[in-house]
Every structure is written in structure tokens, then in C-alpha cells.
Amino acid sequence: MPERRDRPGRTPKNHSWRRQPPAGAPAPTEPVPPATGHGKAVPVPAGNGTGGSIVQSALYRDGRHIASPGSLAETFRQLRETPEGMAWIGLQRPSEAELLSLAAEFDLHELAVEDALEAHQRPKLERYGETLFVVLRAARYLDAPEEVDFGELHVFVGRDFVITVRHGAAPDLSAVRRRMEADPELLALGPEAVLYAILDAVVDGYAPVVAGVQNDIDEIETEVFRGDPEVSRRIYELSREMVEFQRATRPLVGMLHALMAGFAKYGTDEELQRYLRDVADHVTHISERVDGFRQALTDILTVNATLVTQQQNAEMRALAEAGFEQNEEIKKISSWAAILFAPTLVGTIYGMNFHEMPELSWGFGYPFAILLMAVVCVSLYFVFKRRDWL
């Protein structure tokens, strides 16, 4: 954790890496007077008042809220004039000009500033000199669409300032600020305490997500055994969300252990150490639950594939049985058609009435024809019967 000590004057680093604003759209600037403390004046966009991307800017001393400056320039000035003060600046999707003014004032590292501008970073913890840079992935469960919404939070922690940069709706840092302002003793511990409160809020925000996902998994299990055809898509979408959730929670375990490893080096307050250990325990529990969800979804997907295969096999079996039954009926019809065709054939031959047919004048011609029909029909009947066609 960054140490808290007297605030000497600071000379901003050379920030030649900064990207220039687009041509034709120069931002008007408001000069910051060069007072003792943070160094030379820094141009700040005039629009940095209470509107824009600045959610809130506040100054604290000894755990008490003492001022709410209306612009970044005013925040810088008042922080210089406040011994043992701390600035807590909250931004949401800030412009490049705002972040660059903060970088120049507080000597923020260029790599951290670029990460905060571009967003879409994985959770991590980096130390740049006396400044700690933390990237967190917050999450919230949306009841209506039954899905998980992820946000991104970048936190700069120095010896006398905390800067939060949000990309997304979560987490609700206004609740964190109210909680800290209601507990001056905790807030008096400085930027480290604010970082703890932010970590705690992010981790606490995972609990409703875990409950919502558990409910979704229970519903999916019911749909799987009910044979819902849309369940495969739902399993896939929830599995993708769990991959994102795992990417948000798993790095936090290592990050918090890294913070705990620096307790002795940076003289972290003992009470704050206990709080951070408690957050680490919660993160470990959440991470294990998320791992369990991914495994459960994999198992459910396997079971669903098995049930679908069984259903397809049953349908194929039913079709085969129907085809077999149909074939048996065709055999019977064909057998009786052949039996009935025999007397028709004999009768047709002797019904031609040609004068040269010797059987026409034979006295036993008729009985012979009848007997021949009967013999052929009976013979065919027994042949088909032996072959189980009848």
C-alpha cells in the first residue's frame, strides 16, 4: 500500500507520449495556479465541472469530508492547500483530456493511463512508484433478461489521492462513498481504506450474481429433463457468461494475496489488514463457486446431449417399428393378391373361347378348371404361410 506522509512538492514527469486532441477542436483551458505542493500549473479543460464524466470530486481530512470542488482544477488547488488532505475523484468514461490532466497532476504512469482510456483490461494490480493501479471487473445480475452484466473499474491509489475510472454501470461507488463518509475512523486510514472499500463493494456485488446464476442452473436442469428444445442455447449463453465471470474473479485471489504480502513493507493498519483478509476469503469462496458453476454447466450440457441422443434413438426406433409393421401389412396384401390372381389367370385362359381349344369340348373341363384353381390357391397359401407372410 502507498505510504501516507507529508506531501512534498512534485514536478510532473515529461508526458510527451500524450495524444493530441483532433485538429479543429481545441479544448478551452482553465489555468491552475502554481501553488506549493504539486508543482507547476496544468491546463485543465474548462468543461470539467460537475457535469461531463466527473461523477464526484471530494476532499477529506482526518476521515471528514471538507469540500466538494466543482472542477478538477479546483480539486487540485484545494488539495495543495490542505495539509494531510486526501482527494477522491470519481470518473465515468472520462475523456482523454481529463485523464491527461490527472496524469500530469498526480504523476500517473503512461501505461496505466492508456489502460484506463482504452478499458477492456483483465483484472490486475500494478505498482508504479508510489502509485498503485488496480483493474477490477464488477458484475451485476439483470433479472429481466436473466443475464450477467459486467463493468470495468480502474483505480489509481496514491499517498494522498484515489481516482476511480468506471466503464459500465457496475459497481455503484456512490454507496461506497456514503459508507466511508459514515465511518470517519475507517476513512481516516487514507487511500488504502478507500481501496479496501472498493474491493469489498465489487466482491459483495458478486453475491447476487452467484445467486442468480444458481437459480438459472436450477431452471436449466428442469428444462433439460423436460426436453425443452431451447435449453441448449441457454446453456451455451450461460457458459459464456461464466467464462467472463471466472476471468473477473480468479485474478482477484492473486491480487489480494499480493496486497497482503505487502502489509509489513507498507505499514498497513492492522484493522485494515483484517478487512482485506476478509475480502480475500470472500473472493476465494466466490471463485470456487464460479468454478463449480462451469463444471455443472459442462455436466448439464453432457446430460442434455445424452438425452437428445436417446430421444433421437427412440424416434428412429419408432420409425423403424412403424416401417416394419407397414412392411408386414404389405406382405399380407401382396400374398392375398397373388392367391386371388391364380383363379383369375386360369379363368381368363379358359374364357378365351377359341374353337381349337380341346378342353372346351371335354366333359370334365369345368371340374378340372375349378380343381386347378383350388390347387393353385391352396399351394400359394401354404407357401406364403410358411414364410410368415400370412
Side-chain angles (χ1 to χ4, degrees):
M1 294 289 182
E3 298 180 9
R4 286 186 57 82
R5 56 178 181 267
D6 292 339
R7 299 167 50 249
R10 184 185 306 149
T11 302
K13 298 177 182 178
N14 180 14
H15 292 276
S16 58
W17 52 272
R18 297 181 200 161
R19 294 181 290 270
Q20 297 300 320
T29 60
E30 175 183 342
V32 178
T36 58
H38 286 263
K40 64 183 181 181
V42 179
V44 179
N48 288 354
T50 57
S53 64
I54 300 180
V55 178
Q56 188 171 0
S57 178
L59 263 64
Y60 302 90
R61 184 171 56 192
D62 299 327
R64 305 288 179 180
H65 178 263
I66 59 174
S68 295
S71 67
L72 289 180
E74 185 66 16
T75 301
F76 301 158
R77 185 187 65 77
Q78 292 190 27
L79 181 59
R80 296 192 193 104
E81 297 172 353
T82 306
E84 294 298 322
M86 179 188 74
W88 183 353
I89 302 171
L91 305 173
Q92 183 167 14
R93 295 189 179 92
S95 65
E96 183 176 347
E98 289 168 334
L99 272 182
L100 292 182
S101 67
L102 289 167
E105 178 68 19
F106 296 112
D107 291 345
L108 305 181
H109 197 277
E110 60 189 72
L111 296 179
V113 173
E114 288 180 359
D115 287 345
L117 277 171
E118 296 172 3
H120 303 294
Q121 306 294 321
R122 297 194 66 179
K124 63 180 180 179
L125 183 149
E126 299 284 350
R127 187 177 295 278
Y128 299 100
E130 295 182 348
T131 302
L132 199 63
F133 177 61
V134 182
V135 178
L136 302 171
R137 292 293 304 278
R140 59 175 183 160
Y141 186 80
L142 305 179
D143 291 321
E146 293 185 336
E147 62 183 26
V148 183
D149 177 52
F150 294 94
E152 190 169 331
L153 177 65
H154 301 251
V155 185
F156 297 88
V157 182
R159 52 189 169 82
D160 55 1
F161 66 88
V162 176
I163 302 170
T164 59
V165 180
R166 276 198 305 163
H167 295 272
D172 181 12
L173 294 183
S174 61
V176 178
R177 194 182 291 267
R178 289 193 299 269
R179 171 195 171 187
M180 295 298 290
E181 291 179 353
D183 189 353
E185 292 184 2
L186 179 60
L187 186 55
L189 298 178
E192 301 94 332
V194 176
L195 177 60
Y196 148 72
I198 293 173
L199 288 168
D200 190 45
V202 170
V203 174
D204 285 348
Y206 293 151
V209 178
V210 169
V213 171
Q214 181 64 67
N215 184 65
D216 287 347
I217 291 177
D218 293 341
E219 292 178 357
I220 286 174
E221 289 177 342
T222 302
E223 292 173 359
V224 164
F225 289 102
R226 195 170 55 198
D228 191 331
E230 298 295 328
V231 70
S232 296
R233 180 182 182 87
R234 189 175 180 187
I235 295 173
Y236 173 74
E237 291 175 348
L238 189 57
S239 296
R240 289 186 60 186
E241 290 178 352
M242 288 306 96
V243 170
E244 288 296 317
F245 202 7
Q246 198 172 48
R247 289 174 180 171
T249 57
R250 181 173 289 180
L252 276 179
V253 178
M255 291 166 56
L256 285 166
H257 281 89
L259 283 175
M260 290 188 291
F263 283 166
K265 180 179 179 180
Y266 296 100
T268 305
D269 183 83
E270 291 185 4
E271 186 69 12
L272 198 54
Q273 292 182 29
R274 285 191 286 269
Y275 288 148
L276 286 171
R277 279 193 288 267
D278 181 65
V279 174
D281 291 340
H282 290 172
V283 168
T284 302
H285 175 69
I286 294 293
S287 181
E288 291 173 351
R289 290 291 301 276
V290 175
D291 292 342
F293 288 156
R294 284 202 64 186
Q295 184 59 47
L297 288 169
T298 301
D299 294 341
I300 292 173
L301 191 59
T302 302
V303 170
N304 183 61
T306 302
L307 293 176
V308 170
T309 302
Q310 290 177 349
Q311 183 179 359
Q312 290 175 345
N313 291 339
E315 292 174 353
M316 293 296 294
R317 191 181 303 111
L319 289 173
E321 291 175 355
F324 177 77
E325 293 176 358
Q326 185 178 15
N327 190 43
E328 291 298 315
E329 294 297 328
I330 291 174
K331 286 180 180 181
K332 292 179 181 180
I333 295 172
S334 300
S335 299
W336 286 113
I339 291 172
L340 295 175
F341 177 73
T344 303
L345 178 62
V346 174
T348 302
I349 291 174
Y350 288 103
M352 291 187 292
N353 298 321
F354 289 118
H355 294 289
E356 300 300 329
M357 293 180 66
E359 292 85 354
L360 294 179
S361 303
W362 185 30
F364 295 99
Y366 176 72
F368 174 78
I370 296 299
L371 179 62
L372 179 59
M373 294 179 189
V375 170
V376 173
C377 289
V378 172
S379 299
L380 288 175
Y381 176 82
F382 281 107
V383 169
F384 292 137
K385 192 70 173 177
R386 177 176 291 183
R387 295 186 178 183
D388 293 329
W389 284 34
L390 292 174

